[in-house]
Amino acid sequence: MTTPAGIDPRGPRFAATITAVLLLVATFLALIGISTARSTWVATAPLSGDVFPPGGTWAISSASLAQRALDPGFLLSLVIALLFLWGVLSPRTAPWSALFRSVVRPRLAPPTELEDPRPPRFAQGVGLLVVGIGLVLHLLGVPWALPIATAAAFIAAFLNAAFAFCLGCQIYLLLQRSGVVGREASAS
């Protein structure tokens, strides 16, 4: 197995910055949306006049699938998941990669070193997995699943954007050291 051509390490950080902003907005929308809302019903006993406040049910539990799917936090998270998928399947044509190559990189000095593209691509897959789990659980009516998933992905994207610490890349390197990914093909 040959090592692919190196990439400018500033490209994934640029993409992580845009992704972090999108994930922050998605987390906010998920927090104010149906994922975390409580039911607003109130019952009154006609004879005694007792008032029964909401019984601790979540609005998402009683929402239809269409209502869950049309939640703004869900819709933005779905777009982010599709961008993650694009980054996994075709990193060179992904929007943030193309924007970096055509607009940002020509204005920068050449990179002092190139990095292996496999760890950042794996990190995109991890982001897709985390956000994808949140999307599926949201559609199944699990309260708080979407904001927790988008917040977790935001933390990873922010670490990469602000501190050049790619959490998914570190997971890739750990898996590579243990022989799970990136193994050389045997000649036998």
Side-chain angles (χ1 to χ4, degrees):
M1 187 159 87
T2 62
T3 303
I7 60 170
D8 187 336
R10 299 169 294 187
R13 286 188 71 186
F14 174 77
T17 303
I18 297 171
T19 304
V21 170
L22 289 174
L23 285 164
L24 184 62
V25 172
T27 302
F28 174 75
L29 290 174
L31 283 171
I32 65 168
I34 198 170
S35 255
T36 59
R38 297 289 226 163
S39 295
T40 57
W41 62 270
V42 175
T44 306
L47 296 177
S48 66
D50 292 335
V51 176
F52 300 96
T57 61
W58 297 98
I60 194 169
S61 302
S62 59
S64 70
L65 184 61
Q67 289 171 319
R68 294 175 194 164
L70 292 175
D71 180 52
F74 176 83
L75 294 174
L76 181 55
S77 299
L78 181 63
V79 169
I80 293 167
L82 291 173
L83 289 168
F84 276 136
L85 181 63
W86 197 345
V88 170
L89 297 178
S90 181
R92 282 200 59 73
T93 64
W96 312 144
S97 175
L99 183 64
F100 178 79
R101 275 193 328 276
S102 62
V103 176
V104 178
R105 188 170 180 187
R107 290 166 173 72
L108 300 173
T112 55
E113 60 185 39
L114 300 177
E115 75 177 11
D116 184 356
R118 293 175 293 187
R121 191 173 190 176
F122 180 84
Q124 291 286 308
V126 172
L128 174 62
L129 178 70
V130 170
V131 173
I133 288 171
L135 290 169
V136 169
L137 292 176
H138 177 82
L139 286 178
L140 292 174
V142 177
W144 288 88
L146 190 60
I148 289 172
T150 56
F154 165 75
I155 290 168
F158 178 78
L159 285 172
N160 191 3
F163 304 110
F165 182 77
C166 176
L167 197 56
C169 299
Q170 296 303 315
I171 293 170
Y172 178 87
L173 294 174
L174 285 172
L175 292 173
Q176 188 179 43
R177 280 188 213 121
S178 65
V180 176
V181 297
R183 288 188 245 174
E184 297 291 327
S186 62
S188 55

